Amino acid sequence: MGKLCHISPFNIRQSIYRCCQRKEGGIKSMRTFYALIKNNLRITIMHKPISFLLMTITPIIVLIIASKMVSYSTTFVNVGIVDGDQTRASEAITQIVDGLEGIKVFKMNENEVEANFQSNKINTALVIHSGFQDGLLNNSIEQLVVKGNEEQNVYTLLQAILKNHLLNLRNLGKISGGDAAVFENAVGNYIASSEFVEKTSLNDLYTEYNNSNIFVGFLILFIFFNSSAIANVINIDRERNIYSRIFLSPAKVWMYYLSNVLCNLVIVAFQILAAILSMEYFTNTSIGVEPGVLFLILFLTAMVAVSLGTFYVSITEEADAASMISNFANLLIVILGGCFIQVELFPKLINAISYISPARWAMGSILDLQQGLTLGDIAGKASLLGGMAAVILAISVIITSKREKKFRSLS
């Protein structure tokens, strides 16, 4: 028979005591951490209410003023149409485009398209190749290409409007059973109906998107500057000798830094939400992106901004030094990110360098969504923003850990 293991009552009491101590210590740590978060929020909001209020409402005021003062252009969008099919279906597409408000149609040959783009005679081109109608009769939408200038998104809006009409024409092809005569008669009835023509001003949407993107760029600028200012509270605490008292309290250094990061994220998230809701409900400005998706992109950008703010603090010891470095770096980040000047206008070298700016990936994600891509399509860019935040924060932690070891040894 095996030997029985004897556990004395004293050992049991010791185990229970240690377990209780660990549990009690964990509760105390959580309470301390929670107190640090509340304290950071109180210092940032209650001790500087005017500063907090200004940082929250300034982007909103700028948006409201801009929406009232900016008058959107009513000039025509010039569309060049190349009809290489010369069928009833291609004629229907031409009639649909010509029926849109704010559109001026120029018929031309395919070899004239490039020259008309260069002379700015047209903003976008619709090229209908031979076999377009035959494709519709065979249940496929082919031989139709929409061309446009990459610096403008007019062509993507034209694609979106034509999409439903092309699907309707393809369905008419199905119903016709491949009979061209029946199909052409059905297309004639479709054109004659008053239900399909949508009166839409494409240029208004383009101008509105362009101006709302400038507001988003301005908001990203505020996110970076505000995040750095909140993170700089750590250096201010150093100068007031509050920082050194951490070692005389139950608080751990990691708790102090993490509470600052979380407090920073909460405040910036609130300011982003306030700005997006204002744009959605207090103005007639549209950015062409769902509010929830826009919040997600800007929050990921805020995570990078908060991490950078912590990094600036980790490499400095004075509030003035951190403020000077952060102001220069943040301004460079938003300019390189295309927040105010389109990155396509940058010289090639500057354009290549701009890929290191998180603001470029944020603005790029918004532009992609405006052009009809889904959230899944921009998942890579969103993940990159999250990865940037994690890497920068990890570097900040390493630098800070080395500094605190020296600090403790001196203490």
Side-chain angles (χ1 to χ4, degrees):
M1 293 181 65
K3 295 182 179 179
L4 295 175
C5 180
H6 176 71
I7 302 176
S8 69
F10 175 76
N11 289 336
I12 294 174
R13 284 196 299 270
Q14 285 289 94
S15 298
I16 294 172
Y17 176 72
R18 285 193 294 268
C19 181
C20 290
Q21 275 190 320
R22 285 195 296 269
K23 187 175 181 181
E24 186 178 348
I27 294 172
K28 283 184 179 179
S29 295
M30 290 303 298
R31 287 176 179 171
T32 303
F33 183 54
Y34 179 62
L36 284 171
I37 292 176
K38 287 200 302 182
N39 184 62
N40 275 330
L41 288 171
R42 185 171 62 252
I43 291 173
T44 307
I45 299 174
M46 303 305 295
H47 287 196
K48 298 180 179 179
I50 296 176
S51 176
F52 172 75
L53 186 63
L54 285 175
M55 292 299 287
T56 302
I57 67 172
T58 299
I60 299 173
I61 293 173
V62 170
L63 171 65
I64 294 174
I65 293 174
S67 67
K68 299 298 182 183
M69 294 181 64
V70 174
S71 59
Y72 300 120
S73 172
T74 57
T75 57
F76 285 100
V77 172
N78 298 324
V79 179
I81 296 184
V82 178
D83 188 355
D85 196 38
Q86 296 294 326
T87 59
R88 189 68 186 93
S90 63
E91 181 188 349
I93 292 296
T94 302
Q95 286 182 264
I96 289 170
V97 175
D98 200 20
L100 294 171
E101 184 180 345
I103 292 290
K104 184 178 288 186
V105 169
F106 295 88
K107 294 183 179 180
M108 59 189 64
N109 297 323
E110 190 170 0
N111 56 9
E112 298 174 331
V113 171
E114 189 62 33
N116 284 319
F117 268 125
Q118 292 178 0
S119 64
N120 291 322
K121 183 179 180 179
I122 60 174
N123 306 109
T124 184
L126 181 64
V127 180
I128 306 172
H129 294 290
S130 177
F132 171 65
Q133 178 167 301
D134 290 338
L136 294 174
L137 288 169
N138 290 292
N139 194 29
S140 67
I141 302 174
E142 296 178 354
Q143 309 303 329
L144 184 145
V145 179
V146 178
K147 297 182 178 181
N149 191 331
E150 289 295 333
E151 295 178 4
Q152 299 179 347
N153 62 355
V154 177
Y155 72 100
T156 62
L157 296 171
L158 184 60
Q159 284 176 326
I161 288 175
L162 286 176
K163 181 179 179 181
N164 288 334
H165 297 305
L166 289 170
L167 292 174
N168 290 338
L169 291 176
R170 187 186 66 180
N171 290 335
L172 290 177
K174 285 183 185 179
I175 296 170
S176 302
D179 189 317
V182 175
F183 173 74
E184 290 178 2
N185 184 57
V187 171
N189 293 332
Y190 180 70
I191 294 295
S193 70
S194 59
E195 298 178 0
F196 82 96
V197 178
E198 298 177 10
K199 294 293 183 180
T200 305
S201 180
L202 291 180
N203 56 298
D204 282 0
L205 288 175
Y206 168 69
T207 308
E208 191 172 353
Y209 284 179
N210 187 51
N211 284 284
S212 59
N213 282 349
I214 293 174
F215 166 71
V216 171
F218 183 73
L219 183 57
I220 289 175
L221 174 68
F222 261 74
I223 288 171
F224 276 93
F225 275 83
N226 200 23
S227 298
S228 296
I230 297 173
N232 207 19
V233 169
I234 296 173
N235 274 333
I236 294 173
D237 283 350
R238 283 197 183 105
E239 294 173 358
R240 294 176 179 176
N241 293 324
I242 296 173
Y243 185 80
S244 58
R245 297 174 193 172
I246 296 173
F247 300 101
L248 302 176
S249 70
K252 306 293 183 184
V253 177
W254 68 264
M255 291 182 184
Y256 178 75
Y257 277 88
L258 184 58
S259 65
N260 181 272
V261 169
L262 292 177
C263 167
N264 205 335
L265 282 174
V266 168
I267 292 173
V268 175
F270 171 77
Q271 292 169 337
I272 293 171
L273 184 62
I276 291 175
L277 292 178
S278 299
M279 182 167 57
E280 187 72 15
Y281 297 108
F282 297 155
T283 71
N284 58 356
T285 303
S286 172
I287 194 172
V289 179
E290 290 294 327
V293 177
L294 180 60
F295 177 82
L296 174 62
I297 295 170
L298 291 177
F299 184 73
L300 288 171
T301 308
M303 289 175 61
V304 181
V306 170
S307 299
L308 279 170
T310 307
F311 174 74
Y312 302 144
V313 169
S314 71
I315 60 175
T316 58
E317 294 185 358
E318 297 178 355
D320 289 343
S323 179
M324 182 176 65
I325 292 172
S326 65
N327 288 342
F328 174 76
N330 289 336
L331 189 60
L332 193 61
I333 285 170
V334 296
I335 291 175
L336 284 176
C339 292
F340 304 111
I341 303 172
Q342 293 179 354
V343 293
E344 290 81 5
L345 302 177
F346 293 161
K348 288 185 178 180
L349 179 60
I350 303 299
N351 197 337
I353 294 173
S354 70
Y355 281 100
I356 66 174
S357 170
R360 168 158 188 163
W361 297 102
M363 292 298 293
S365 298
I366 293 170
L367 289 171
D368 285 345
L369 291 169
Q370 285 179 334
Q371 293 175 7
L373 298 184
T374 64
L375 187 58
D377 295 325
I378 64 163
K381 291 179 180 177
S383 300
L384 184 62
L385 285 171
M388 282 184 178
V391 170
I392 296 169
L393 191 58
I395 294 171
S396 304
V397 168
I398 293 170
I399 295 172
T400 303
S401 299
K402 291 181 178 180
R403 171 184 288 178
E404 300 317 325
K405 281 182 180 180
K406 292 180 181 179
F407 186 85
R408 280 192 290 270
S409 63
L410 292 173
S411 300

